[in-house]
Amino acid sequence: MSRKKLDDYITEGIYGPKEIKQDEKRKYLGTYRERVLLAIYKAEVYQKKGIPEIKTIKNKHPDAVMLLNDRMNIHTLKPYRQLATDSNFTYRYIRNETVDSEYGVIIALDHAIEIENIHLPEENIPNKNSVKEKQPWWKRLFSSSNE
C-alpha cells in the first residue's frame, strides 16, 4: 500500500468518508441545495408560515421529504409535524452538532431538481414613498397641528 493511500485510509477512519459540498449539506439540513423544493427560515417557522406552500408541494411531489431542524423547540414545529402526519408526509429531525442552520424546515427530494427560488415569497413591504417621514422634534413643535 502506498503512503498516500495509507494516509487517506487512516484519515477516513478517523474523520469518516470524504464528502463533497459539506458546508452546503450543513446549511440545508443534510441535503444538497439542488434537491431543495422549499426552505423556510427559522423566523418564518416561528410565525407558522409556509404551510399552504408545503401542501401544494406535497401534491406535486409525493415523494418529497420534510426535514426539521432539531435545534428548534418541539412546540414550534408542531404545526409542521401535524401537517406531515395528516398528509402522510415523511419527515425527519436533523441535528448538526457543529453548525446551527438558519433554516427551520426544508422540503427536499432524493434527487436533483434545481429550483431557482426556494424561499417563501416576501410579504408586501410598504412603499418607501407611501410612508410619511418622521420630522425632527423642533419642526413638529413649531408646525401647525393640521398636517
Side-chain angles (χ1 to χ4, degrees), residues 22 25-27 29-30 42 68-72 93-101:
Q22 291 177 3
K25 282 186 78 172
R26 286 186 205 109
K27 181 178 181 180
L29 300 178
K42 287 180 180 180
L68 304 170
N69 190 339
D70 192 35
R71 289 192 173 200
M72 293 189 71
Y93 281 97
I94 307 296
R95 181 176 197 115
N96 189 341
E97 297 293 333
T98 57
V99 177
D100 190 18
S101 175

Side-chain angles (χ1 to χ4, degrees), residues 4-139:
K4 184 171 172 42
K5 284 186 179 181
L6 182 62
D7 288 342
D8 288 343
Y9 182 76
I10 292 171
T11 304
E12 188 174 314
I14 295 171
Y15 300 110
K18 293 181 182 179
E19 292 184 22
I20 56 171
K21 300 182 182 180
Q22 291 177 3
D23 293 334
E24 185 176 294
K25 282 186 78 172
R26 286 186 205 109
K27 181 178 181 180
Y28 293 106
L29 300 178
T31 191
Y32 296 110
R33 162 66 177 85
E34 60 263 12
R35 296 179 179 181
V36 175
L37 296 167
L38 179 66
I40 304 174
Y41 290 106
K42 287 180 180 180
E44 294 170 333
V45 171
Y46 286 121
Q47 298 170 3
K48 296 175 178 50
K49 292 184 179 180
I51 292 178
E53 288 85 353
I54 294 172
K55 289 178 184 177
T56 305
I57 289 172
K58 178 61 177 168
N59 291 334
K60 287 182 183 177
H61 304 281
D63 57 336
V65 176
M66 183 185 299
L67 306 173
L68 304 170
N69 190 339
D70 192 35
R71 289 192 173 200
M72 293 189 71
N73 188 329
I74 194 165
H75 299 294
T76 305
L77 294 171
K78 185 175 182 180
Y80 299 94
R81 283 192 336 265
Q82 190 66 42
L83 172 66
T85 55
D86 290 347
S87 59
N88 199 19
F89 204 121
T90 305
Y91 71 94
R92 290 187 300 230
Y93 281 97
I94 307 296
R95 181 176 197 115
N96 189 341
E97 297 293 333
T98 57
V99 177
D100 190 18
S101 175
E102 61 188 327
Y103 297 109
V105 176
I106 299 267
I107 309 298
L109 295 171
D110 61 350
H111 58 277
I113 191 162
E114 196 60 52
I115 294 177
E116 187 173 324
N117 187 7
I118 60 170
H119 298 99
L120 292 174
E122 292 188 24
E123 299 283 323
N124 293 336
I125 300 170
N127 192 357
K128 198 172 189 178
N129 297 332
S130 67
V131 177
K132 190 176 180 181
E133 288 188 32
K134 188 175 179 181
Q135 293 180 336
W137 65 270
W138 54 272
K139 279 189 177 180

